[in-house]
Every structure is written in C-alpha cells, then in structure tokens.
Amino acid sequence: MEKNAKLVFEPTPLWYTAIPPLAPQKLPSITPDQLASLTKKANDLHDADIRAFQSSSSPHSSSSETSFLSKIIQSGTLSDRLSALTLLVQSSPVHNTKALETLKGMAERGKGKGGREESLKALRCIMDWWVGGGAPDRKLKYFRDQPLNHPDATDKILVGWYYEDWLKKYFFSILQILETLSLDPLQYVRTQSLTLLFTFLRDKPEQEQNLLRLLVNKLGDTEKPLCSRASYHLLQLLQSHPSMKTVVVREIIALVLRPPAPSIVSSLPPSKGTHIRFTDPEPKPKSTSASPEKKSGNAHARYYAMITFNQIVLTPGDRDVALKLIEVYFEMFKELLGEDPEKVEDVEQEVVVQEQGEVLKDKKGRVKVRDGKKKGKGKVTEVKGAAGFAEVEDTHSRLISAILTGVNRALPFAKIDAGDSGYV
C-alpha cells in the first residue's frame, strides 16, 4: 500500500469523477511558454504515474494479474486479446493508455489474420468502453482550454486534464478509422461502421457534429439497404434526442443540396494517411450542366432524405423545424419541375397498323406504338390512349410522393400566416 501512495492520480474506471471542480475565477490568459512548460510537466507526471501503477501491488492491478493479462495479449486468440485489453482499460484508463493504443492499432490495421473482422471487433471493444463510462456525458476539452493558471490546480488535476486532452485526440483518430470503414467496398463493413457511428452519436456528445455528418452521408450510399438503415438510425437518434431535430434537418439539407459524392470504390483514399477533412466547408451546388450520372446519384440521396424528413415526429413546439421542412420540400419540388425526368433520346415512333390499314389497338382501345428505329416487328415501347395521350411513368414519382407526404405532415405544425410571405 505504500507504493500506491506514490500515485498522483488514483486508479478508477470513471476517471473524470476523480478530477475535483475548481471555483470559477477571472484568470489572465496563459502565454505559449507557460503552456509548453505546464504540458511538459503534466506529461512527466503522467508517465511517472503509469510506471508507478504498473509496479504497484494494489487490488486494482496485482502483479500476477498484470503478468497473466500480458501473456494473453502476446499469445492469446483474438477474442482473448481483446478481452484482456478491455479489462486493462476498464481498471484504470488513465494508466492504461498503451492498451488503448493497442486497440486502436488493431482497429486501423485490419491486415493480420483477422483482417476487417479484427478491425471491427477492436472498434466494438472501444465503443463498449466509451459508452459504458469511459467518457463523460459532456464534450472533452483540450489541455490548453483548461484553467491552467488556477491557484488550486494541483498535480493530480494537471494529470487528469492532460489525459482528457490525450483522450480527445485519441477519439478523433478513432473517428478517422470509422470514416475509412464507412467507405469500404464491402457492404457488411459499411453496415457495421454505420451502427458504430450511430451508437457513438446517440450515447456521448463528443465529436457529435462529425459523427452526424458521417451518418447523414450514408443516406446517399450506393446500396439501398445502407440508405434505409441510415434513415432508420437518424430517426432513432431523434427519438433519443428530440432537441437535435434542427441540427439533423440542417445537416440533411446540406447533403441534399450539394453534388453527390463519387462512388465507393473511386472515393477510397490512395494511401494510408489520406482522410476526409471534417473541417472542409460544404461544397457549393454546381451549375445545371452537371452530368446525368451526378444528377441520378443526387436524386438517390434526395429520395432517402425526403423519406427521413417525412417520418420526423413533429410537435406543436417545432414550428421552426416544420417551416424549414416545408421550405426544402418546395425547393425540391421546384428543382424537379425544372429538370427533365430523363434525358431520353427523341426517337421516331410509328403506329402499328394492320395489313388492312387499321390502327392496332389493345382491349381497352389504346393505340399501340413501337420504336421507329426498329424494322419489322418492333417492340411495343409505349401505350397511347384513344385520344393520343401517352401513358408514361414519371421517374420522379416516388420522390414527388415523398415530398407531398412530407408537406401534408409538416403543414399543420408550421402554422403559416400572412406574415410568412415566402410560403403563401
């Protein structure tokens, strides 16, 4: 127990509860030299504390237990190694940063015997620890944003702040791994990464903006099941956090009104260190001269965005959200009216005439038409009514239906009056 007294920061699973709050004071801003000095001091204290913890004989980490877990980590199966690392992290996260780094290495590597499955399992272990008490129910702070020159800031508090800064950067690196997996060519891997993104976003507020952006981006995935699952997770998120409606709607609108991302395969990073920068500004909508491929991809994302919008549960207090939804519904409707449903070639068509010179009709009296480019028995491509009007299925019919459904659901909560001239 004497050795345990050398620890500056006592071992505890809930590390953030061991940092006592400081009385608010008006403090002068810290200089860069002071920041560098305090950072070095906190780093040295943290390293010394880790060494003291590893050599301690406290009930939190006995020497025999540590030796046993080390052997498992070196020579055990994948599941055993992950379990051992998780146990180490749960015993005292502040003193087991090496175990967290090992888990991150397994998550980002994905090369060994386990491959992608090893990466996903390691990320699940990190997620279980993170949402199970590894992170506080608030956003983490950088070391430089703490009141470092507070008179009551002890060595213990400095170590806690230093670890919080380390953990904030650590979680951002985990987010970059998830971003890469969300663009994986395999649908299964993208599905699992989507679930991880949703769980992180639902349970903890850290990096919520970037997590939400990655989740919303999957509304435009190339696979329909992924788009549907992303929509489902977003609606689940709003059930857990109804106050996020405005933020979620704004982020989805940003997706709907920007050009679509390239295909999954073409968007893979060319090298290990390449990642999408979350701080990049939203690209501006391109001119109407975009290629047909881009338009169809954008329409694919727009459809699932509208499906998500019209299933958001609104309340009488959500007038601003309802107005925003109606605004984007009409914007989308105007876009649909302004663009061709399909850039189909104008082909000459000839009426199918019998030998006697009569027009060939079906049982309902509609005139049959075939493609004029084909000779002889042409394939019937379209059916016209007796008055000559063609019955053509609109390619945007499902999207228009979703928009009209959304307008009908949002209109009662918008409470539009004469002052809202933009909606009248």
Side-chain angles (χ1 to χ4, degrees):
M1 299 297 292
E2 293 180 0
K3 292 182 180 179
N4 195 32
K6 296 179 181 178
L7 291 175
V8 176
F9 200 96
E10 65 269 18
T12 174
L14 304 178
W15 58 271
Y16 42 88
T17 60
I19 305 175
L22 299 178
Q25 292 185 15
K26 189 174 182 180
L27 301 169
S29 58
I30 193 168
T31 64
D33 291 339
Q34 289 176 321
L35 176 61
S37 175
L38 287 171
T39 302
K40 185 179 183 306
K41 178 183 178 181
N43 183 27
D44 294 340
L45 287 170
H46 185 236
D47 290 343
D49 225 36
I50 291 175
R51 290 192 296 270
F53 175 81
Q54 291 172 347
S55 60
S56 68
S57 57
S58 68
H60 296 282
S61 178
S62 65
S63 57
S64 59
E65 178 187 354
T66 304
S67 176
F68 174 69
L69 291 176
S70 298
K71 288 180 181 178
I72 292 178
I73 292 171
Q74 291 175 2
S75 59
T77 63
L78 175 60
S79 297
D80 291 340
R81 284 185 287 133
L82 290 172
S83 299
L85 289 167
T86 305
L87 285 173
L88 284 175
V89 173
Q90 289 175 344
S91 64
S92 179
V94 174
H95 301 97
N96 283 290
T97 54
K98 185 178 179 181
L100 282 169
E101 288 286 1
T102 304
L103 282 172
K104 187 183 82 170
M106 297 172 70
E108 67 186 353
R109 187 171 64 247
K111 294 178 181 176
K113 298 177 182 178
R116 289 184 174 94
E117 191 62 31
E118 177 182 340
S119 179
L120 291 172
K121 285 183 177 180
L123 285 170
R124 288 191 203 104
C125 289
I126 296 172
M127 180 201 70
D128 291 339
W129 167 74
W130 183 268
V131 303
D137 294 327
R138 59 172 175 81
K139 290 186 177 181
L140 300 174
K141 291 183 178 180
Y142 288 111
F143 188 73
R144 63 176 180 268
D145 296 329
Q146 302 283 5
L148 298 174
N149 50 359
H150 197 285
D152 297 331
T154 61
D155 289 350
K156 173 184 174 181
I157 294 176
L158 283 178
V159 171
W161 288 346
Y162 181 82
Y163 174 74
E164 183 173 341
D165 176 90
W166 179 90
L167 189 62
K168 187 175 182 69
K169 296 172 183 175
Y170 174 85
F171 185 72
F172 185 79
S173 64
I174 295 298
L175 195 59
Q176 289 178 314
I177 297 171
L178 279 171
E179 168 211 338
T180 303
L181 291 177
S182 70
L183 300 174
D184 195 272
L186 295 182
Q187 181 179 341
Y188 170 77
V189 177
R190 301 206 304 276
T191 303
Q192 295 302 310
S193 67
L194 190 63
T195 303
L196 291 168
L197 288 169
F198 164 69
T199 307
F200 279 127
L201 179 58
R202 180 193 60 191
D203 293 345
K204 298 294 177 180
E206 181 64 23
Q207 293 291 339
E208 61 182 1
Q209 182 179 0
N210 291 328
L211 287 166
L212 179 60
R213 184 177 297 181
L214 289 175
L215 186 58
V216 167
N217 279 344
K218 301 315 292 177
L219 289 173
D221 195 271
T222 54
E223 301 289 340
K224 290 183 179 180
L226 263 295
C227 302
S228 179
R229 182 174 287 269
S231 175
Y232 171 70
H233 283 325
L234 287 169
L235 295 171
Q236 275 190 316
L237 177 67
L238 292 180
Q239 287 183 358
S240 302
H241 305 284
S243 59
M244 290 185 69
K245 288 176 187 174
T246 303
V247 179
V248 171
V249 168
R250 184 174 66 239
E251 194 63 42
I252 296 178
I253 290 174
L255 170 73
V256 168
L257 298 182
R258 76 180 179 215
S263 64
I264 292 297
V265 176
S266 62
S267 62
L268 286 176
S271 62
K272 284 185 179 179
T274 303
H275 294 284
I276 297 173
R277 292 196 303 172
F278 295 118
T279 54
D280 286 348
E282 296 294 331
K284 297 179 181 179
K286 294 184 179 179
S287 61
T288 53
S289 60
S291 63
E293 287 185 6
K294 290 188 177 180
K295 280 194 174 183
S296 62
N298 203 13
H300 184 65
R302 289 184 296 182
Y303 171 69
Y304 284 98
M306 295 302 110
I307 289 296
T308 305
F309 279 157
N310 65 31
Q311 293 183 76
I312 293 177
V313 178
L314 298 172
T315 61
D318 293 328
R319 181 174 184 268
D320 291 340
V321 177
L323 285 172
K324 194 67 179 175
L325 288 175
I326 291 177
E327 180 182 343
V328 75
Y329 287 146
F330 280 102
E331 177 107 12
M332 292 294 304
F333 200 70
K334 284 189 289 185
E335 279 190 26
L336 292 178
L337 292 178
E339 65 181 41
D340 297 330
E342 272 187 318
K343 299 225 171 183
V344 186
E345 297 180 19
D346 293 332
V347 292
E348 295 181 0
Q349 296 176 332
E350 61 178 342
V351 179
V352 181
V353 183
Q354 293 178 340
E355 292 180 0
Q356 293 83 359
E358 297 178 357
V359 176
L360 184 61
K361 299 181 180 180
D362 63 4
K363 294 180 179 179
K364 295 183 180 180
R366 296 177 297 187
V367 180
K368 290 187 177 181
V369 179
R370 69 184 176 198
D371 193 342
K373 290 186 176 180
K374 298 179 181 178
K375 303 299 181 181
K377 296 182 179 179
K379 180 180 178 182
V380 176
T381 58
E382 188 176 318
V383 176
K384 287 191 176 183
F389 295 103
E391 298 177 6
V392 182
E393 182 181 357
D394 187 1
T395 56
H396 295 312
S397 58
R398 291 197 308 161
L399 182 55
I400 291 173
S401 175
I403 291 173
L404 294 178
T405 301
V407 171
N408 288 332
R409 291 181 179 177
L411 206 54
F413 300 96
K415 301 174 185 176
I416 298 175
D417 51 33
D420 298 314
S421 57
Y423 302 95
V424 178

